Amino acid sequence: MSLEELKQWFTIKHILDMLAEYRSFGVIPGIVLPMAEAFLPFLPLFVFIMANAAAFGLWKGFLISWIGTSVGSLLVFLLVRKIGRQRFFSFLHRHPTIRRMMHWVERRGFGPLFLLLCFPFTPSAAVNVVAGLSGIAMQQYMLAVFFGKMVMVFMISFIGYDVVALVRQPLRTVFVAVAIFLLWYIGKKVEQRFALHDGK
């Protein structure tokens, strides 16, 4: 499959067509797509959430996406916690960047993790893996995931629940583009701020 075909596959229109094709399965495809992104971080979570909101409505689409991405994150966390400390994965613990991130997660706990997970462009797959390798309590990480993902998924769902309006209303499209840029920019600033504090 070429890069161009891959881009066409992961568009909101294609995902909406797929959800319509498999509507006999109910909400399952809508849950599985964001769940899969936790294991395959190259998948476009942003597109999946917007498609769910457009297909199922704002609140139902939000709930479906929130369940999928939260469950996926926790499964990755639990998987890494179970097998990540085996001898085969010892190289991860020795990697200086991963060790530094693990100590950061252990020291900072809920607050920074919650903020990082609020932003859609945070590499949440890396956060899940590092948290699984760290000594953070599972309950603490669950809270950060549930509440952080709740904020993030609702923001994207709100932007995407009326996709047709993005085409018919140019001003709405501009607003969405600005909102996406601000989410990216603020998320990067939060990451940099925590990195600077960690370095002190």
Side-chain angles (χ1 to χ4, degrees), residues 2-168:
S2 68
L3 182 62
E4 196 59 39
E5 289 175 323
L6 201 61
K7 286 180 181 177
Q8 291 175 359
W9 182 271
F10 293 122
T11 61
I12 294 175
K13 183 182 182 305
H14 188 273
I15 300 300
L16 283 171
D17 290 343
M18 189 184 71
L19 290 173
E21 184 180 349
Y22 294 101
R23 63 181 175 272
S24 59
F25 290 94
V27 300
I28 294 174
I31 292 174
V32 168
L33 287 172
M35 187 188 299
E37 185 273 341
F39 293 89
L40 304 169
F42 60 86
L43 294 176
L45 180 62
F46 205 99
V47 172
F48 295 157
I49 294 173
M50 290 181 76
N52 275 341
F56 297 103
L58 175 59
W59 293 106
K60 188 175 180 180
F62 154 72
L63 188 61
I64 290 167
S65 298
W66 180 45
I67 290 170
T69 189
S70 297
V71 170
S73 293
L74 292 173
L75 287 175
V76 171
F77 173 84
L78 291 170
L79 184 65
V80 171
R81 178 143 292 187
K82 185 168 183 62
I83 68 172
R85 294 176 181 176
Q86 294 178 8
R87 185 176 299 176
F88 178 73
F89 293 96
S90 61
F91 71 94
L92 288 174
H93 294 271
R94 292 196 301 270
H95 194 283
T97 302
I98 292 178
R99 286 183 66 84
R100 190 164 61 249
M101 290 176 69
M102 284 167 55
H103 294 321
W104 179 84
V105 168
E106 289 168 358
R107 285 203 307 272
R108 304 288 176 174
F110 172 84
L113 284 174
F114 164 75
L115 283 175
L116 286 175
L117 292 169
C118 281
F119 296 102
F121 299 102
T122 297
S124 58
V127 175
N128 295 332
V129 171
V130 170
L133 291 170
S134 75
I136 189 173
M138 180 182 171
Q139 295 87 340
Q140 201 174 17
Y141 192 65
M142 283 177 66
L143 285 175
V145 167
F146 285 144
F147 288 109
K149 295 284 188 182
M150 180 190 295
V151 174
M152 182 268 288
V153 171
F154 183 78
M155 285 192 292
I156 301 175
S157 297
F158 184 76
I159 290 170
Y161 81 100
D162 190 0
V163 178
V164 175
L166 297 181
V167 178
R168 293 180 179 170

